[in-house]
Structures are given as structure tokens and as C-alpha cells.
Amino acid sequence: MTTLHGDRVTLRPAGPADVDRLAAIRAAPEVHVRWQGEDLAAEIADDLDDPDLELLVVEHDGRVVGAIQWSEESDAMYRHAGMDLYLDPAVHGRGLGSDAVRTLARHLIDEVGHHRLVIDPAADNMAAIACYAKVGFQPVGVMRRYELGPDGTWHDGLLMDLLPEDLR
């Protein structure tokens, strides 16, 4: 994976030196409520070793402000890529998330050759849904009782997808 440059962010492969900073971001209450986890550093280190996951740090002004990850379904009949993102709450609302998603989406379409991308925010995560819609992702449908929330109950997710012609 190479380094990708957006309008305002840089995406580069995450490495062991990034684990503590990413764990601190994931520990922030606004992020942790969505991403959860117990031993965040260990989970991030495991992600680095996962051959089916590409974990990239999101940098802005030379500083790590979050992570974006992607994986792919390689079966030729269903080939597509999925992505997910988290950012430091200190940079929320500045357009960095949409820039990161757009930058990765362009790479996955133009360089990797995917014809369809998916993302699945919590159905009540309006900020994430707006971020993804700004890039061109469109709602496909609600996945009922999709993820286990920190309160121990199942919560709905929203499946969104993006085709190359939707990318803004």
C-alpha cells in the first residue's frame, strides 16, 4: 500500500509506532462509543497483522488524527471493498473525514479496480452518514439489530454503497 494524498489529509500505512496514538483516539468517549473495545492497543496491533485488512493512519498537518481501514471481498461474483473510519474528536466537523473517505475511495476504484464500495455506520450516527453522503455514498437499507452496542443491546446499522459514478 502506498501513501495517498487527499486535499487536506494524507493516508499512509499504519505501523507499530502508530498504535499508542490510535489507541488514544479510539479511547476518546465519542469514538469509543462507536468502536468499543477493551485492550485498544492490542486490538490495533492485531489489525496491523491481519492480512485481510489494510489499516491506514489519517494525517493532517503532519499529525495523526485517525485511521481509515479497508478490506475486500475477492470472490469474482461479489468483488467489492468495504471501509471504515475514525477520527480524533478534536478534528470532527472540519471535512477531514470526507477527504479521507474520498481519497481512499478514489484509490480503491482507480488503482485497485473496485466497481462498488460499501460502508456501514450505525443507523443513528448522523455525522458519519452525512460525511459518507458528502462523498457520494448512498443508503441501501437498514440492517436491523446489526451491531452489539456498549449498552448490551443490538443496534441498527445503515448499509451505504458507492459506485464510481457516484463519487464526488
Side-chain angles (χ1 to χ4, degrees):
M1 181 77 195
T2 60
T3 298
L4 307 174
H5 300 279
D7 292 333
R8 301 179 59 212
V9 301
T10 299
L11 309 180
R12 65 164 174 79
D18 299 307
V19 170
D20 289 343
R21 174 71 180 130
L22 294 178
I25 293 169
R26 279 202 35 202
E30 301 93 322
V31 178
H32 193 262
V33 71
R34 299 295 180 183
W35 280 74
Q36 302 179 45
E38 298 295 322
D39 185 344
L40 301 178
E43 290 176 21
I44 293 165
D46 286 347
D47 288 346
L48 291 174
D49 291 334
D50 185 341
D52 296 324
L53 182 71
E54 294 287 338
L55 180 62
L56 307 169
V57 296
V58 179
E59 292 183 336
H60 174 65
D61 290 339
R63 195 173 117 237
V64 173
V65 296
I68 190 166
Q69 62 188 35
W70 70 277
S71 61
E72 65 184 346
E73 169 57 60
S74 58
D75 182 317
M77 281 186 65
Y78 302 100
R79 188 169 188 270
H80 70 278
M83 64 172 76
D84 214 341
L85 164 79
Y86 60 88
L87 293 178
D88 186 331
V91 300
H92 285 180
R94 297 185 189 177
L96 302 180
S98 58
D99 189 31
V101 170
R102 184 179 300 107
T103 301
L104 181 56
R106 282 189 181 130
H107 172 74
L108 293 174
I109 292 167
D110 296 341
E111 305 301 322
V112 182
H114 284 289
H115 75 286
R116 179 172 173 267
L117 307 177
V118 297
I119 202 159
D120 56 359
D124 68 349
N125 190 344
M126 294 304 142
I129 293 166
C131 170
Y132 307 145
K134 185 176 177 181
V135 175
F137 278 86
Q138 301 190 25
V140 174
V142 173
M143 299 178 290
R144 300 180 309 150
R145 297 184 191 161
Y146 179 64
E147 66 182 355
L148 188 61
D151 63 358
T153 65
W154 290 97
H155 297 226
D156 294 346
L158 178 65
L159 178 61
M160 302 178 79
D161 73 1
L162 178 129
L163 303 177
E165 61 268 22
D166 299 331
L167 184 58
R168 297 183 205 131

